[in-house]
Amino acid sequence: MRSKFLLRLAVTVIILFSAGYIALYSLLWMSVPSIDGEYHLSSLNSQVTVAFDEKGIPTIWAKSREDAFRALGFVTARDRLFQMDLLRRHMAGRLAEVMGPALKESDRRHRAMGFEKVASAIVQHLPQDQKQVLEAYAEGVNQAMDSLTVLPPEFLLLGYSPSAWRSEDSLLVVLGMEEDLGWTGDAERRASIIEAALPKSVKSFFMPPIDRYTDKLLNGKASGTPLPSIPENELFALLDDNGRPKHYAGLVTDTPPPKGSNGWVVGPSKTWDGRAILANDMHLSLRVPNIWYRAEMHYGDVRLTGLTLPGVPLIVVGSNGKVAWGFTNIEGDFVDLVSLELNPDDPESYRTPKGFVRFSEREETVRVKGEADFTFKVQTTEWGPVLPEPLLSKRVAVHWAALDPDATDLHLLNLDVVNDVKEAQTIFNRAGGPPLNALAADHQGNIGWTYIGKIPKRFGLNGSVSRSWADGSRGWAGYISPQELPRLLNPSSGFIVNANQRMLGDDYPYVIGHYFGHGHRAYRITERLLDAKNLTERDMFTLQLDTKVEFYRFYQRLALSLLHERNDKVQIRLKQNLANWDGFAELDSVGFAVLVEFRKLLLDAVIAPFMAKCREYDPEFRFSSPMIDEPLQQLLEAKLPTLLPDKIRYRDWDSFLLNLLIQAEDNVSAYHSTDFPDIFAGSEFAFALRAADRTAWHESSAWGAVNQVAIAHPFSSSLPLLKIWLDMPQVALPGCVQCVRMYASGYGASERLVVSPGREGNGILHMPGGQSGYPLSPHYGDQQQAWVEGTALPLEAGETVYRLELVPAPAQLKQD
């Protein structure tokens, strides 16, 4: 009887589970919106046709700009509604109320910054034509929500419905990009601590203003002086008396992957038929769905092709048929941390050039899913909000262009009708938003570069470290005027390159930044373009996939110089693998993974002992700099006995470095080792298999075994059983941080674009993932494989497979 009962119970459970699974699958399938048919949109002035190709890429045909952006809002929201909602919630500080306590601190920060109030103020400051586009886009988004039979599955899982889209929400998304690309407050905090803790010569040594590759690109016109020499006495004084380094575990790290990009334009002298061509691949966080949404738009005489940012009515990069444009991050400095001088008799007031003034205060309440709401006070100053974390025992306020309503707009909308590069540069220089390098090419063969965004005009300081502005001798005098921003047009070289490196010499009168991106990627691109002739779009795309990385030759030579023992199997194997490295970061590049890990260990082991004192000023201090390899390589070349980091365990630099090299190989092989179920943990079987696995790794030592790309959906970590549906498949990927084909864990090329204006039919564009945010949609990941393999996809949408007819409501149709 018991066995029959258990059998019936098991069958019942299976039936219920299957029924639930079928019901869930059906609900998810119902949530995927149709991209075929007819919809009535009450806000339309005229009928709009949206044609979708086989990859779900829309081409919008409308009579007016406003109707075109209504349609863009409609189709984008139907594909990416949850993504759009997260983007606005993130900046408004409203994530915890739907996603729980883990997002409380993020919400607190964004509420303290007051981004939602900034967005509202921006809308009020915009000219009427930009407001009209924002309103039209919002109308399209809201009517898309109304058209959905079932909300996207993420809303169902979280148990909430999205509120109506507002013009302010689009500005919150823009501000999110400004934060992602332009927040340098952490770097200023780090530099301020170093200035307080270390001698000036040590700070200058470890934080040089330029790297050797950028210096070559600028022909020595930057930094004014050569790289500083090693301050031996000052560095020695930072080691303790017996030569054993102070505690510094994890104190020095590699620079976070640059949220930048590669961008270059080539003129007629470099192409096979005398055209100008633009190439742009933007390096951002890799996610599912991708940050960009592909679209084509036709209205009046305008034809736009390129990428949009979900939530924003704008073709961010692309072409209008006469001019093509793309962007890279400046890696500049548009944030200052203002050190506050409190009134000793009244700590609720601070000193200004006008005397002591009381802090302004407001209350913010953050709703938290599963917990009680929490309320906190935000103090603000005439320069900006006060950060909760002190700096060097002083309170600091944030003065940031992103918090100025006058510094953000949608002036880039006007790129839709520019005719040449000069007109585009005028638009760039007047536009607000994230400060960026802007590259452009036109159908007449012109190429150019300039800046976009509001760049502060400082006085009395350079912004690299925190200072008091209380006496009025320091501050900002507005922004660099459009007429004062630098421009480059049709240089004699026939090309212009920016890969986040510094572009200007010391003769430019204003501070743009301090620690630009490392110049290796730009140097490699320049190297390829110098001798190039007869270039085509395919050649430009091939260069975007270049993985040659001479940057690591120094570490290869150093490693090989340490391997002398002819009877040591470890050294023999290492020497063979490292000597066989081909100079590339390809999947089969042997030895490269060890070199990458070796450099990582060198950073912490060699530099960290000299930074340990900074922990006395901030226990959480960690040092990183894009120029960190300059001082590191100087120390490794000199090998000064007085500066050996650990004199107790090692007799000289070579023995110290050899230990790190062997450790690097062990770390890489451990990363590659097979993971076993807990049942085998510690067993001889597991030990034998793991040893065999490491031996196999040592034999191959290929980069592809380590450099794996895993692009995840926000929910996959909490829903591991659904990872196979939610995430893109994990695969090996060529490239590295210093490569033109830039890739680091979680970061990489969010798109690759190549286009010659007027010849969009030859253009190339691909991106990870796909158009849709719905896991069951055929367009959820149908562009992923091309992105992984480096296969070119056409820029223009293909033949129409589906068609939406967006029709005005009857009352509007009669009036029209």
Side-chain angles (χ1 to χ4, degrees), residues 207-216 218 220-227 502 504 514-516 518 627 630:
M207 303 181 75
I210 199 167
D211 64 90
R212 63 195 65 188
Y213 292 101
T214 304
D215 192 48
K216 291 177 182 177
L218 290 173
K221 294 180 181 178
S223 77
T225 59
L227 293 172
R502 178 175 175 172
L504 300 174
H514 313 287
Y515 309 109
F516 299 91
H518 195 277
M627 308 305 163
E630 301 304 323

Side-chain angles (χ1 to χ4, degrees), residues 400-423:
W400 183 10
L403 301 182
D404 178 3
D406 290 326
T408 299
D409 55 44
L410 290 182
H411 192 65
L412 289 181
L413 281 167
N414 297 313
L415 289 172
D416 61 354
V417 293
V418 294
N419 292 295
D420 56 39
V421 168
K422 284 186 177 181
E423 289 184 19

Side-chain angles (χ1 to χ4, degrees), residues 206-370:
F206 283 118
M207 303 181 75
I210 199 167
D211 64 90
R212 63 195 65 188
Y213 292 101
T214 304
D215 192 48
K216 291 177 182 177
L217 291 171
L218 290 173
N219 298 314
K221 294 180 181 178
S223 77
T225 59
L227 293 172
S229 58
I230 299 173
E232 182 177 358
N233 293 335
E234 291 87 344
L235 289 175
F236 178 71
L238 293 170
L239 298 174
D240 69 12
D241 294 337
N242 62 12
R244 182 177 294 279
K246 302 172 184 177
H247 175 71
Y248 57 84
L251 199 153
V252 175
T253 63
D254 200 1
T255 307
K259 294 174 180 177
S261 302
N262 298 324
W264 64 90
V265 282
V266 297
S269 65
K270 289 291 179 181
T271 60
W272 74 278
D273 57 355
R275 293 181 288 120
I277 307 177
L278 173 139
N280 189 204
D281 52 289
M282 296 185 284
H283 307 155
L284 295 166
S285 302
L286 299 177
R287 61 189 71 170
V288 180
N290 186 39
I291 186 81
W292 304 114
Y293 184 79
R294 299 179 61 173
E296 290 186 25
M297 301 177 69
H298 301 251
Y299 51 90
D301 295 328
V302 172
R303 180 187 178 191
L304 295 170
T305 307
L307 294 162
T308 76
L309 178 61
V312 181
L314 189 68
I315 295 293
V316 178
V317 299
S319 175
N320 70 2
K322 295 180 179 179
V323 180
W325 60 91
F327 302 110
T328 66
N329 197 18
I330 295 176
E331 299 286 336
D333 182 12
F334 319 111
V335 178
D336 277 330
L337 302 183
V338 182
S339 181
L340 299 176
E341 298 181 24
L342 300 185
N343 186 342
D345 299 322
D346 179 11
E348 295 305 308
S349 63
Y350 64 99
R351 187 181 170 212
T352 75
K354 300 174 184 177
F356 285 105
V357 176
R358 291 188 66 82
F359 292 101
S360 299
E361 278 192 357
R362 69 175 191 271
E363 277 194 351
E364 294 283 350
T365 298
V366 174
R367 297 177 59 193
V368 184
K369 186 177 183 179

Side-chain angles (χ1 to χ4, degrees), residues 557-590:
R557 290 192 296 270
L558 175 64
L560 291 173
S561 73
L562 303 170
L563 301 170
H564 304 300
E565 294 295 332
R566 297 182 179 179
N567 297 321
D568 187 316
K569 291 183 179 180
V570 173
Q571 292 201 32
I572 292 170
R573 180 181 62 243
L574 262 173
K575 191 167 188 176
Q576 179 180 358
N577 284 339
L578 294 176
N580 287 338
W581 178 51
D582 58 4
F584 291 83
E586 290 292 333
L587 300 183
D588 58 354
S589 293
V590 173

